[in-house]
Amino acid sequence: MTVVLQLPFIAPYSTDPMIGALRAHCVAGLERHDDGVHARVISLPAGPSIVSVSWHEDHVSVSATAGTDSVVLESVVRRWLDLDADHSMIEPYFDSDDIIAPLIAARPGLRVLGSIDGFETAVLTVLGQQVSLAAARTFGGRIVRAFGDVVDGDFVAFPAPETLAAQSPEAIGEAVGLTKARSKTVHTLAIAAAGGLDLGWDAEPVRFRSELLALPGIGPWTADYLTVRILGDRDAFVPDDLVLKRALGVSSGKEAAVLAENWRPWRAYALFHLWTKEAFL
């Protein structure tokens, strides 16, 4: 018997951008998206589960394979899909802002996409550095197929840190089609995660950032992005992101950071509004 949950949220919830983001980042094997229903493997303490989510007027419906701990599953999905945000408190903060207020008017209730698993998100982010989103999805699919475990015949779980740490950088690079430098970064990240690097949503923020930046191939953009996605820091920001700078019409991360000072303590929502603006042009 499957586990079925109905997880309420405080309306409004701008579903199209969230669905669009999930579809755009969908990794073959690990995930599947079909007509507004997103299905994927979620690795929980009791083992991997196939979880499907769909959106309704005031709640998200969740179904999962039998044996899934519903309490743990609810916690993961609520963080992943930003179900606990109260936009009646967030959006009025931007009422007088010439940049963000029109974007909120166009898409009230926009949410920040979170993370199912910190290691998975970190590896997929590294794979997406300096390549197109399509290329990043291709790399993600390859790493899942090469090193993940099959779940229920149709899906493949993302490989655990220990699995990738046990490979050589060369083996990872050959299987995924990565440069030597990128393969080394993935391998080093896996070794660090297997050895205790905390990539959980409740990691200590300063340590999280400093330990990531200490790894070769991980710079400020990646650390900033993972702070938004994994930690769920709603004041985190990615000032040197190319899409963000294009949306703001600025040429440097410093300029973007100065503008973003007006958006504290909700800079992550401003960030996602600006990213969404570019995606929906």
Side-chain angles (χ1 to χ4, degrees):
M1 185 176 181
T2 59
V3 174
V4 178
L5 303 174
Q6 291 189 350
L7 306 184
F9 52 75
I10 300 173
Y13 190 120
S14 187
T15 57
D16 286 348
M18 177 61 77
I19 291 171
L22 290 168
R23 186 188 298 114
H25 291 86
C26 192
V27 174
L30 177 68
E31 305 173 90
R32 184 180 302 157
H33 193 91
D34 183 26
D35 195 25
V37 177
H38 194 82
R40 60 156 295 150
V41 180
I42 297 183
S43 295
L44 300 170
S49 177
I50 308 300
V51 177
S52 298
V53 295
S54 59
W55 287 258
H56 305 274
E57 184 176 348
D58 60 356
H59 69 278
V60 168
S61 292
V62 182
S63 64
T65 48
T68 301
D69 185 323
S70 61
V71 174
V72 175
L73 176 62
E74 176 173 355
S75 177
V76 171
V77 173
R78 296 196 74 87
R79 289 195 304 271
W80 176 36
L81 302 179
D82 196 11
L83 297 182
D84 292 323
D86 183 352
H87 280 68
S88 69
M89 299 184 64
I90 298 167
E91 293 181 348
Y93 190 84
F94 296 99
D95 280 350
S96 61
D97 190 273
D98 292 340
I99 298 174
I100 305 301
L103 304 182
I104 290 175
R107 298 180 185 90
L110 184 77
R111 307 295 165 126
V112 172
L113 176 62
S115 169
I116 286 292
D117 174 84
F119 178 66
E120 172 194 308
T121 303
V123 171
L124 292 177
T125 299
V126 167
L127 295 179
Q129 290 172 343
Q130 299 178 333
V131 299
S132 69
L133 192 52
R137 287 196 305 269
T138 297
F139 291 151
R142 288 173 181 169
I143 205 167
V144 166
R145 287 193 301 272
F147 305 111
D149 292 327
V150 175
V151 180
D152 288 350
D154 293 326
F155 287 86
V156 184
F158 196 84
E162 294 78 8
T163 300
L164 290 181
Q167 307 297 320
S168 66
E170 293 75 18
I172 294 172
E174 183 176 348
V176 183
L178 302 176
T179 64
K180 289 182 179 180
R182 193 63 46 82
S183 301
K184 182 179 179 182
T185 299
V186 171
H187 187 245
T188 302
L189 176 60
I191 291 173
L197 172 65
D198 190 354
L199 294 173
W201 65 269
D202 56 351
E204 198 286 313
V206 174
R207 183 176 179 181
F208 176 87
R209 182 179 176 82
S210 65
E211 290 187 343
L212 281 172
L213 290 173
L215 300 177
I218 293 185
W221 180 92
T222 301
D224 290 339
Y225 180 77
L226 295 179
T227 300
V228 175
R229 291 285 312 281
I230 296 175
L231 299 191
D233 183 347
R234 294 306 183 246
D235 196 37
F237 198 64
V238 191
D240 210 30
D241 181 76
L242 291 174
V243 176
L244 171 73
K245 289 186 288 188
R246 183 170 69 238
L248 289 173
V250 300
S251 58
S252 72
K254 183 176 180 180
E255 292 174 276
V258 169
L259 287 173
E261 285 300 307
N262 296 323
W263 306 328
R264 290 184 181 274
W266 304 113
R267 293 186 302 170
Y269 285 104
L271 174 68
F272 266 73
H273 269 291
L274 290 159
W275 276 343
T276 303
K277 168 194 167 187
E278 292 300 300
F280 278 77
L281 284 178

